Amino acid sequence: MSNKSFRLIGFWATPLWTLLSLTVAIPSQPAFAVQRNNFQLCASELLRGGISAAVAAEACAASLYPKDLTICVTQIYQQTNIAARDALSTCTKVRRPRDLATCVVNISNGTQNSLAPDVLDNCRSSLLPVRFAECVVGLNREVDFSVGQMMGTCIDASDRPQDFYPPGVVPRQTSSPSRPILVPPNAPPFGPTRLPVVPIEPRGF
C-alpha cells in the first residue's frame, strides 16, 4: 500500500474518533430531568424533617412561594429544638415565612428557658417579627424579666408602629399657630353675603 493510501486513512480516521468522543460526552438524560423545581425541593425537605408525605404535598402545593416555606421550616427545625411539624404549622400562617424563621431562631438561641409554643405564637402574631426578636433578645440581656414577660412587652410595642412617643410625653408642635380670621363688621353671621335689592322705577315713553 502506498503512502498516499495511508494518508487517506489517517484523514478519515481523525474525524471519526473526534465524533465518537463527542458522542460519549453528550449526557444520556435531558437537562430538565436533573434539575429540581421549588415544589420538589419543598417536598424533599419536609419529608427529610419527618413530615408525612400527605401533609408535605398539601403544604407545598398550597404555598404561593414554596421556596420561602422550605427555608422557614428548615431553618427552624435545624437551628432550634422545635420539631419540623410545629414549624410547618406556623410557617404556613404568615405572609413572610423567612422573617418568621429569623424571629424564632434568634429568640430561641438568644434567650434561655423560652417555650417553643410561645415563641412560635408571638413571632407569628408580631407585625414586625425581626424587630420583635431584637426587642426580646436585647431587653432580656439587661432586664431581669422572664422571656414570656419580655415577649408580652415587645409584642405590645410592635402592635403600635406609629406610636413613637412614650406615655405622658407630648410632642412639640412645629407648625405655626393659626391666625384669626378677620370678619367685616357688616358681614352676616353665617351664610353667603347677599346684595341689597334696589327697586326699579318705571320709566315713561
Side-chain angles (χ1 to χ4, degrees):
M1 186 179 296
S2 63
N3 294 334
K4 185 176 181 181
S5 299
F6 280 111
R7 292 177 182 177
L8 291 175
I9 294 175
F11 175 79
W12 289 106
T14 301
L16 180 62
W17 285 108
T18 304
L19 181 61
L20 291 176
S21 61
L22 292 176
T23 304
V24 174
I26 296 176
S28 58
Q29 296 181 351
F32 66 87
V34 179
Q35 298 179 355
R36 297 187 298 175
N37 59 30
N38 292 334
F39 290 95
Q40 184 178 359
L41 290 173
C42 177
S44 175
E45 292 297 332
L46 295 185
L47 292 175
R48 185 180 301 178
I51 298 175
S52 64
V55 175
E58 183 179 359
C60 294
S63 177
L64 185 61
Y65 302 102
K67 183 177 180 180
D68 292 346
L69 178 64
T70 306
I71 294 175
C72 179
V73 176
T74 53
Q75 282 187 354
I76 292 176
Y77 87 81
Q78 289 181 358
Q79 302 181 27
T80 66
N81 295 326
I82 300 175
R85 60 179 179 274
D86 297 331
L88 176 62
S89 177
T90 307
C91 290
T92 54
K93 298 177 182 178
V94 295
R95 297 178 58 185
R96 298 179 179 179
R98 296 192 182 189
D99 291 348
L100 171 71
T102 302
C103 177
V104 174
V105 172
N106 290 348
I107 294 179
S108 300
N109 297 333
T111 60
Q112 296 181 355
N113 302 324
S114 58
L115 301 178
D118 293 342
V119 175
L120 289 172
D121 185 63
N122 281 275
C123 287
R124 179 187 61 81
S125 302
S126 176
L127 299 177
L128 303 171
V130 177
R131 179 185 180 276
F132 170 71
E134 294 178 356
C135 176
V136 174
V137 175
L139 295 182
N140 183 74
R141 294 174 180 175
E142 299 296 334
V143 183
D144 189 14
F145 284 172
S146 65
V147 181
Q149 290 177 306
M150 286 302 172
M151 288 192 293
T153 302
C154 292
I155 198 69
D156 291 339
S158 64
D159 287 339
R160 295 180 284 106
Q162 296 181 354
D163 189 6
F164 297 103
Y165 298 95
V169 177
V170 179
R172 185 179 61 182
Q173 297 181 357
T174 56
S175 59
S176 59
S178 58
R179 298 180 178 178
I181 300 176
L182 300 179
V183 181
N186 297 328
F190 57 88
T193 303
R194 296 183 179 181
L195 297 176
V197 179
V198 179
I200 302 176
E201 297 179 357
R203 298 180 179 180
F205 293 96

